[in-house]
């Protein structure tokens, strides 16, 4: 324990998750076209981004373990960051958390069949928002998404920004290793399950949650130096 100071098999139906369409033909590991880790961590301004602040990156500092506490209107979710496996991603998440990027945002997407995730991280709630920069995938080799997994969401393969999803239950089908896992929920999974019980606004298996989950704050707690 570390002390802390104060983060294709063919199926008959199609499902959608995290900006990519899950079709019967794509449910194999062969879909992992962007599975190689980046040569070095870098953050690239998005097209049209103006005066964007890019996270600084120091390899030794980025690898330092942390937990993140997401305080929501329904309870607190604590995430352990996988800084050793996805340092570029966890460095970006910590950067955005510290600048208050997620404060006031609503988790905007819920899936309730076959793939059980809640997607968050877009202050505009439009599934296309980003922090003004993007970065490449990490930690995809053999990636799986059981309950408690925190992983990046994206619209364009290989481009990650601020959106992420949390698996609130084990998937019922084999998800391709296409989304960067960067954390695991260590407490508060019940908060997500309660939101899932309410279903979606449109009554379908993929849509906005009927119950709002609003992120009130995200606090990063780094491990103490030994």
């Amino acid at each position: 324990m570390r002390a802390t100071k104060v983060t294709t098999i063919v199926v008959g139906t199609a499902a959608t998750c995290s900006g990519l369409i899950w079709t019967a033909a794509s449910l194999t590991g062969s879909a992992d076209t962007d599975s190689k880790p980046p040569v070095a961590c870098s953050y690239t301004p998005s097209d049209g981004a103006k005066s964007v602040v890019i996270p600084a990156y120091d390899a030794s500092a980025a690898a330092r373990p942390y937990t993140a506490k997401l305080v929501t209107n329904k309870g607190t979710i604590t995430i352990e960051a996988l800084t050793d496996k996805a340092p570029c991603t966890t460095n970006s998440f910590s950067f955005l958390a510290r600048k208050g990027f997620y404060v006031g945002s609503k988790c905007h997407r819920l899936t309730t069949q076959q793939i059980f995730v809640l997607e968050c991280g877009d202050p505009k709630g439009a599934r296309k928002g980003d922090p003004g920069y993007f970065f490449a995938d990490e930690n995809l080799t053999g990636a799986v998404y059981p309950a408690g997994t925190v992983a990046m969401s994206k619209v364009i393969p290989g481009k990650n920004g601020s959106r992420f999803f949390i698996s609130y239950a084990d998937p019922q089908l084999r998800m391709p290793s296409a989304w960067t896992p960067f954390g695991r929920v260590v407490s508060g999974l019940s908060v997500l399950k309660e939101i899932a019980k309410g279903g979606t606004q449109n009554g379908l298996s993929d849509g906005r949650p009927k119950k709002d989950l609003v992120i009130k704050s995200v606090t990063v707690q780094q491990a103490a130096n030994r």
Side-chain angles (χ1 to χ4, degrees), residues 1 4 9 12-13 20 23 43 52 69 72 78 80 83 123 132 154-155 157-158 173 182 187 204 208 214 216 218 222:
M1 298 290 290
T4 57
I9 62 172
T13 59
L20 294 181
T23 63
Y43 304 98
V52 61
K69 287 190 176 181
T72 77
T78 303
E80 180 182 51
T83 55
K154 57 196 173 186
V155 174
L173 50 76
F182 71 94
S187 67
L204 301 178
R208 291 183 179 277
V214 183
K216 301 171 69 175
V218 182
Q222 285 192 317

Side-chain angles (χ1 to χ4, degrees), residues 67-81:
T67 57
K69 287 190 176 181
L70 281 66
V71 177
T72 77
N73 62 320
K74 300 296 185 180
T76 299
I77 304 163
T78 303
I79 296 169
E80 180 182 51

